[in-house]
């Protein structure tokens, strides 16, 4: 089971790799849309993989507030701690 913030970040970095066609180094400060230049369809595919991998839900309104990999990592960690939703 993934528990630490570092482990979650590493797993998210692995999951986003197929969408990182420019080969941008993934850091906690990476802006998912701006730095990786991925479109909304790819973002939704990425989010679906995250939800499947961690068995969580990420509501669209919450997703709209996430810009960086660090913010995404924090949201995933919070969702895991809350049992996947809420």
């Amino acid at each position: 089971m993934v528990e630490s913030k570092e482990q979650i970040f590493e797993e998210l970095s692995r999951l986003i790799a197929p969408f990182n066609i420019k080969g941008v180094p993934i850091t906690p400060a990476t802006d998912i849309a701006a730095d990786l230049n991925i479109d909304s369809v790819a973002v939704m595919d990425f989010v679906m993989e995250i939800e499947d991998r961690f068995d969580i839900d990420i509501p669209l309104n919450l997703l709209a507030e996430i810009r960086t990999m660090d913010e995404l990592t924090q949201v995933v960690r919070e969702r895991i701690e809350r049992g996947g939703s809420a």
Side-chain angles (χ1 to χ4, degrees), residues 54-58 78-86:
F54 293 101
D55 196 26
I56 61 173
D57 292 321
I58 302 176
E78 290 171 2
R79 304 300 280 186
I80 291 170
E81 289 174 354
R82 293 179 183 174
S85 61

Side-chain angles (χ1 to χ4, degrees), residues 37-85:
N37 195 28
I38 57 176
D39 62 28
S40 59
V41 173
V43 168
M44 294 310 298
D45 288 345
F46 175 49
V47 170
M48 288 174 40
E49 288 196 32
I50 293 169
E51 291 177 335
D52 288 345
R53 169 60 184 87
F54 293 101
D55 196 26
I56 61 173
D57 292 321
I58 302 176
L60 289 177
N61 63 330
L62 185 58
L63 183 62
E65 299 173 7
I66 299 170
R67 292 186 49 99
T68 67
M69 287 294 289
D70 188 56
E71 292 169 348
L72 179 59
T73 301
Q74 185 61 36
V75 166
V76 169
R77 186 173 188 196
E78 290 171 2
R79 304 300 280 186
I80 291 170
E81 289 174 354
R82 293 179 183 174
S85 61

Side-chain angles (χ1 to χ4, degrees), residues 12-30:
L12 292 175
S13 296
R14 185 186 69 77
L15 291 173
I16 204 167
F19 303 101
N20 185 9
I21 57 174
K22 294 169 60 179
V24 174
I26 303 298
T27 70
T30 299

